[in-house]
Amino acid sequence: MMSLSGENRSRLLQAIEAHGFEHASGYLLRTAKQIVALSKKEADRYPQIGNSRIGGEPDLPEMLEWPTDSDGDLMSFVLQLNAAELEDTERRLPTEGVLFFFVGDYGLEVEHRVLYASARQMEGARRTAAPGELKLEENGPYRPFKLNAQSSLELPGYAYVDEEAVESEEHGWEEYEDLNFALHEEDERPVVKMFGYAEGQHGDDEYMAALELFGCESTYDPTEAIERLAGALGGDPELARREVADILMLAEIDSDDDVGFMWGDAGVLHFFIRKEDLLRGRFDRTYCSYYSS
């Protein structure tokens, strides 16, 4: 993980001091993630091609076909992100071009596709309607909204935090939540987050993603997961652990009434990618799951 930028480090240290978490400053500085947060800006009436958009219809170039699932049914378009509009502090994303996110039926895993078109390929792009019926949108089409992106910080949530590291005689979970809230109190509520901690209860999403991406049988047991990954990686458990550590959450998409998204019971979709694949532009190698309480 890249060290925090000077601005983000200063911002976090100020919050730590204001909330009396000096006892956990080392842990928090080490585990805070620099994320991209995207909030709804306004309804998108499609005045331009290739802007960041959630819901509605995508702006596909001719070289990209609308994806289908394993049964041949059309997937639903959920998100497009213009890389030039995203404030990625760690420069993990392409500097230009557009990412497109599609999903199909979902269970523990979600059939999906992530497509990418360069700025040059986008020159011939046009707003594209689905070429048929969309099973996920039987209650009406997803409504389009423009997105506003900003860089932000995220601390480990419930499933990932080391409680012993953050608690003290005066500080428990409620005080930790207050600290996390203070980092975002001036931010718009995001409907999409990139590179943060996955919302959930168990903190096993990165293990599940790595297992799927390397063709291993899934398991909820982290020890078994490392053993299975090591078996696929020449018997090297350290390499297996590094692979899990390098799994990035490419996008977390929240349920949203305005757009019409409802993932399970007001849950979230998670798209994961290996850091190496992201840097190489291998968006064909992703894993998608959903969490609902």
Side-chain angles (χ1 to χ4, degrees):
M1 183 184 301
M2 179 179 175
S3 59
L4 297 181
S5 67
E7 180 180 349
N8 281 334
R9 180 181 176 86
S10 175
R11 177 182 175 188
L12 179 55
L13 286 173
Q14 289 177 20
I16 287 172
E17 182 178 2
H19 290 264
F21 270 82
E22 289 87 352
H23 63 283
S25 61
Y27 170 77
L28 296 175
L29 287 167
R30 187 170 64 254
T31 57
K33 290 190 175 183
Q34 301 180 118
I35 71 170
V36 180
L38 297 108
S39 57
K40 299 195 305 290
K41 188 175 181 181
E42 60 188 358
D44 194 340
R45 305 191 186 283
Y46 306 107
Q48 64 185 106
I49 295 295
N51 60 290
S52 294
R53 175 187 307 142
I54 192 165
E57 296 174 343
D59 300 324
L60 293 178
E62 293 182 0
M63 43 80 67
L64 293 182
E65 294 185 358
W66 197 287
T68 57
D69 65 18
S70 56
D71 293 325
D73 294 320
L74 294 170
M75 293 187 178
S76 280
F77 165 73
V78 292
L79 176 69
Q80 75 179 34
L81 297 175
N82 186 318
E85 297 175 357
L86 305 179
E87 298 185 33
D88 179 19
T89 302
E90 298 188 23
R91 299 180 181 178
R92 293 156 287 198
L93 292 163
T95 57
E96 49 84 33
V98 178
L99 284 166
F100 302 90
F101 295 76
F102 292 81
V103 297
D105 282 337
Y106 56 94
L108 292 178
E109 298 176 15
V110 182
E111 287 204 60
H112 70 286
R113 290 286 301 278
V114 179
L115 308 176
Y116 173 74
S118 68
R120 184 172 181 177
Q121 291 166 334
M122 285 297 296
E123 290 176 2
R126 60 184 177 85
R127 176 182 163 194
T128 304
E133 181 182 354
L134 298 171
K135 292 172 62 177
L136 289 186
E137 300 177 54
E138 57 185 10
N139 295 323
Y142 296 142
R143 294 174 287 278
F145 282 81
K146 296 179 181 180
L147 291 172
N148 182 54
Q150 64 180 46
S151 61
S152 189
L153 280 175
E154 187 167 83
L155 298 178
Y158 174 82
Y160 292 88
V161 69
D162 182 345
E163 294 185 17
E164 292 185 1
V166 299
E167 290 181 348
S168 69
E169 292 183 3
E170 297 84 18
H171 300 83
W173 178 251
E174 290 186 4
E175 289 74 21
Y176 179 70
E177 283 192 310
D178 289 341
L179 168 64
N180 214 342
F181 176 78
L183 289 172
H184 306 285
E185 59 185 346
E186 296 183 1
D187 296 344
E188 296 287 336
R189 176 185 173 275
V191 66
V192 178
K193 292 191 295 185
M194 308 179 74
F195 307 123
Y197 287 96
E199 182 178 337
Q201 295 185 1
H202 306 293
D204 59 1
D205 294 89
E206 290 79 7
Y207 288 93
M208 299 297 284
L211 288 167
E212 173 67 20
L213 291 170
F214 282 98
C216 302
E217 183 180 355
S218 63
T219 175
Y220 292 108
D221 185 300
T223 301
E224 288 185 4
I226 293 300
E227 291 175 354
R228 293 177 185 181
L229 282 169
L233 295 168
D236 189 339
E238 281 303 314
L239 179 57
R241 279 186 277 270
R242 287 200 300 273
E243 282 291 349
V244 172
D246 280 345
I247 294 290
L248 300 174
M249 189 173 70
L250 182 60
E252 179 178 88
I253 305 175
D254 206 348
S255 292
D256 189 275
D257 290 339
D258 293 337
V259 181
F261 289 166
M262 182 59 67
W263 314 121
D265 184 15
V268 294
L269 283 182
H270 294 136
F271 290 80
F272 293 96
I273 191 169
R274 297 171 63 237
K275 184 177 182 180
E276 179 179 341
D277 287 336
L278 173 59
L279 296 177
R280 292 183 175 181
R282 289 294 309 272
F283 296 106
D284 58 315
R285 286 177 50 82
T286 54
Y287 170 81
C288 183
S289 62
Y290 93 99
Y291 167 75
S292 177
S293 57

